[in-house]
Amino acid sequence: MKKSHRQGFLGGSLILIASAAVSKVIGAVFRIPLANLLGGEGMGYFSAAYGIFMTVYAVSVTGLPIAAAKLTAERLARSDEGGAANVRSTALALCALCGAAFTLLTLLLAYPFCAYMSRSPLSVIAVAAIAPSILFSCVTAVFRGCAEGRRNMYPTAVSQVIEAAVKLLSGLALCYAVLNAPRSFFVSAEALIKRILPFGAIQAASADELVMPLAAAAAVFGVTVSSAAGLLYMVLRNAFVREEKLRSAPTLPTARELAMIMLPVALGSLITNLTSLIDLATIISCLKRAVEAKPQFFSSMLGGISPEAMPNFIFGCFSGLAVTVFNLIPSFTNMFGKGAVPFVAEGFAKRDKTLIEQAVMRVFFTAGFIAVPAGLGISVLAPQILTLLFPSRRLEAFTAAPSLRLLGFGVIFLSVSSVLFAVLQAAGKGDIPVKIMAVGVGVKLILNLALIPIPEVNAAGAAVSTDICYLLIMLLSVKAVSGLSGIPLGSFFSLLAKLFFDVVHIAVLQKIGNLLQRHIQRAAILSQNFLQNLWETPLTLFISVPIGAIFYIISTHLTGILTKTTLKMLIC
């Protein structure tokens, strides 16, 4: 591979960040109009299917790129091109088997899970539509991981953008086509679905009742089409741009090495995704108890929605609106974790303490620098954000706003935890994230069951449990990385404290007597409040957020966080 293809930490991370930014913008263009099309009910079906898919995806796919990147980086650190080629061929063979097996498993277990755990049996149609993407994603993950191990982030970046664009076009087009189809289409679809899926709930459903499940399935099928497009790009790129000069047959020893890295990472990712699975399995059932306990409370809040439809509607608002916004920032910061993997792996392979410390502090700094202001901003501006993004779904935005206010804090905890998990996995300590996540997930399950059935709390209880879950996980992750790298705990927490300090000075409107404080960046929240009162429109975000960002950067420079030394550490 040409030297020019190798990127440093910041360069590689920024390539992934740029692609993630483009992908997330495209993804928002997909999810936002999709929520406007489907509403709370349709997003409930969509989220149920997507939650099941992401759980299986976590087991079958997530560990592949990390394992491939780690072993490739270690082979290349020893100048072993043949070993790197062997990693690639073995991983491709292994992932093809895993992808096929998990696709079949998803199809076989879809209805029992939808009917008896998520209590949304009609979601099985959407699960069947998304299942094939698991196989496609498995193969794509290997190509990405091998390129990342060579510090070449372009293939991952390009394939992510392609997938996002295809998902946008195909998902929205299919969903819109189904929603606007003539009634004869649904009558024909009803007969076909009942023949293919001979389950009780499906057989009892009428053509009218299948409209939203079919529309959700059409939208989620866009994910399958997009994953196939991403794989096609990687295959064509491999055929015409041959970075690895050597070819090698799969070998059992390399397969064992890959499995030893993949299994703990996959298990950790599974447990990570269990937070979503727990929500899927508990929110609707707990909300049913809450609605039964105080039907008048929910009727006053959700006028026009029948009591039977309320649990699925509230779940759709929480998962389709609040969680969509919640996941935006961690998906960006996670790219820094991926960018750090080859550096951390190389540092431990060479036993270079300086390289390890630099890689850890780089990824921690960048994650915190982005996540702290973004998370607190989401918490403060949750109603405006939701109203801006979902203008045609005012009731859904109103329902999701209390949960998003709380989830803003979880954005910070999850963003920091995810990059630290990448550090631990790259260091060969994949078992530590598994143990940490197991503790956090246990806490979340208990809190979900305790809080959501309270009518006045309802879905916001899931947000509280998510915050506490990821706070605990972050604290345990920082402790683990500190012990592994030798970096004092105080270095991590002092940095976070300074970032919180800078943001609070921007986010909190002080009393008039404190207006002469040196941190003039409070003008950001002043402008937001003034304009909000003047126009009463979420469009004020376009003015207040940039002002806040400018003064945040100034504040971090004045407090010694963002300096020439810091920038040099990131670039080198």
Side-chain angles (χ1 to χ4, degrees):
M1 184 178 63
K2 294 180 180 180
K3 186 76 171 178
S4 60
H5 286 165
R6 291 166 63 88
Q7 298 101 34
F9 167 73
L10 186 60
S13 296
L14 286 179
I15 290 170
L16 294 177
I17 286 289
S19 71
V22 173
S23 299
K24 285 301 172 182
V25 168
I26 297 174
V29 174
F30 172 65
R31 290 290 290 256
I32 292 169
L34 183 65
N36 287 314
L37 282 172
L38 294 177
E41 180 188 356
M43 287 305 293
Y45 296 123
F46 180 92
S47 299
Y50 203 76
I52 296 170
F53 161 74
M54 287 305 298
T55 302
V56 180
Y57 179 94
V59 178
S60 58
V61 177
T62 308
L64 286 168
I66 292 177
K70 175 178 168 58
L71 291 186
T72 300
E74 289 177 350
R75 301 297 196 270
L76 294 176
R78 301 194 299 264
S79 300
D80 183 5
E81 285 284 351
N86 180 252
V87 168
R88 181 171 166 277
S89 60
T90 304
L92 283 172
L94 188 62
C95 80
L97 292 174
C98 290
F102 279 105
T103 296
L104 180 61
L105 185 66
T106 301
L107 291 171
L108 291 176
L109 298 181
Y111 185 77
F113 185 91
C114 292
Y116 304 115
M117 287 194 66
S118 70
R119 305 295 179 88
S120 181
L122 296 182
S123 299
V124 69
I125 305 170
V127 176
I130 200 174
S133 64
I134 296 171
L135 174 59
F136 304 145
S137 298
C138 277
V139 181
T140 304
V142 173
F143 285 113
R144 289 175 175 174
C146 291
E148 290 166 12
R150 292 174 173 270
R151 300 189 194 176
N152 183 9
M153 308 302 172
Y154 287 114
T156 298
V158 174
S159 62
Q160 284 178 338
V161 173
I162 290 174
E163 287 184 1
V166 173
K167 180 172 69 174
L168 168 67
L169 297 174
S170 59
L172 288 180
L174 290 170
C175 180
Y176 182 83
V178 168
L179 287 175
N180 289 275
R183 177 170 174 76
S184 58
F185 167 81
F186 295 102
V187 173
S188 301
E190 176 191 11
L192 179 62
I193 290 171
K194 289 182 177 181
R195 184 174 301 176
I196 298 174
L197 302 172
F199 304 114
I202 301 293
Q203 298 298 316
S206 65
D208 291 336
E209 291 172 327
L210 290 176
V211 172
M212 278 302 175
L214 279 171
V220 86
F221 186 68
V223 177
T224 297
V225 176
S226 68
S227 61
L231 174 59
L232 179 61
Y233 162 76
M234 297 301 286
V235 170
L236 291 175
R237 179 188 175 278
N238 180 68
F240 294 103
V241 183
R242 301 187 177 223
E243 290 180 352
E244 296 87 353
K245 302 298 182 183
L246 300 177
R247 292 293 181 267
S248 175
T251 60
L252 190 58
T254 303
R256 289 197 191 98
E257 281 190 89
L258 286 165
M260 291 298 291
I261 300 170
M262 286 167 52
L263 290 176
V265 173
L267 184 56
S269 184
L270 170 63
I271 297 177
T272 301
N273 279 274
L274 280 180
T275 57
S276 299
L277 195 63
I278 286 171
D279 284 341
L280 185 59
T282 60
I283 289 180
I284 292 180
S285 59
C286 289
L287 284 173
K288 285 182 179 179
R289 290 162 52 193
V291 172
E292 291 171 358
K294 276 194 177 180
Q296 68 280 1
F297 172 81
F298 289 93
S299 295
S300 63
M301 183 174 65
L302 303 173
I305 307 294
S306 67
E308 294 77 16
M310 284 179 183
N312 185 66
F313 178 85
I314 297 173
F315 172 67
C317 296
F318 175 80
S319 59
L321 279 69
V323 174
T324 295
V325 178
F326 165 75
N327 283 326
L328 288 175
I329 304 303
S331 65
F332 285 122
T333 57
N334 187 50
M335 296 300 104
F336 286 108
K338 294 182 71 175
V341 167
F343 292 88
V344 175
E346 182 179 341
F348 277 92
K350 295 179 177 179
R351 301 181 184 276
D352 187 336
K353 187 175 180 180
T354 301
L355 180 59
I356 294 170
E357 183 174 342
Q358 288 177 346
V360 171
M361 291 311 296
R362 284 170 181 167
V363 71
F364 185 80
F365 171 82
T366 49
F369 187 81
I370 295 171
V372 171
L376 294 179
I378 288 172
S379 182
V380 171
L381 302 172
Q384 295 94 321
I385 292 171
L386 290 169
T387 304
L388 176 66
L389 296 179
F390 307 99
S392 65
R393 294 290 177 175
R394 295 283 177 153
L395 180 59
E396 284 87 343
F398 170 79
T399 305
S403 297
L404 185 58
R405 280 194 183 277
L406 295 166
L407 286 173
F409 297 97
V411 165
I412 302 169
F413 309 143
L414 175 56
S415 297
V416 173
S417 301
S418 62
V419 297
L420 293 179
F421 277 9
V423 169
L424 292 168
Q425 291 159 353
K429 300 294 182 180
D431 60 312
I432 296 178
V434 174
K435 296 172 184 176
I436 292 174
M437 280 302 306
V439 175
V441 166
V443 171
K444 177 170 174 59
L445 176 60
I446 293 171
L447 291 176
N448 264 23
L449 295 174
L451 296 175
I452 298 174
I454 302 173
E456 292 77 9
V457 177
N458 57 81
V464 172
S465 67
T466 297
D467 287 346
I468 296 175
C469 167
Y470 285 121
L471 173 61
L472 179 60
I473 288 168
M474 184 190 74
L475 296 175
L476 294 175
S477 300
V478 169
K479 185 176 184 300
V481 171
S482 174
L484 187 66
S485 64
I487 302 172
L489 278 172
S491 298
F492 295 100
F493 293 120
S494 64
L495 176 59
L496 287 179
K498 289 179 180 178
L499 293 172
F500 270 98
F501 176 79
D502 289 326
V503 175
V504 165
H505 274 76
I506 300 170
V508 178
L509 179 60
Q510 301 280 337
K511 295 180 181 179
I512 295 178
N514 294 328
L515 288 177
L516 297 179
Q517 285 187 353
R518 340 180 253 188
H519 292 278
I520 61 172
Q521 67 269 35
R522 283 176 298 165
I525 194 66
L526 285 172
S527 67
Q528 197 277 333
N529 285 343
F530 172 75
L531 293 170
Q532 187 70 21
N533 292 332
L534 179 64
W535 294 336
E536 295 184 352
T537 170
L539 292 177
T540 57
L541 291 171
F542 290 115
I543 297 177
S544 61
V545 170
I547 292 175
I550 291 170
F551 282 111
Y552 172 67
I553 293 173
I554 294 173
S555 178
T556 53
H557 176 68
L558 293 176
T559 54
I561 297 175
L562 190 63
T563 63
K564 290 182 180 180
T565 303
T566 305
L567 293 175
K568 184 178 179 180
M569 176 189 72
L570 293 174
I571 295 171
C572 294

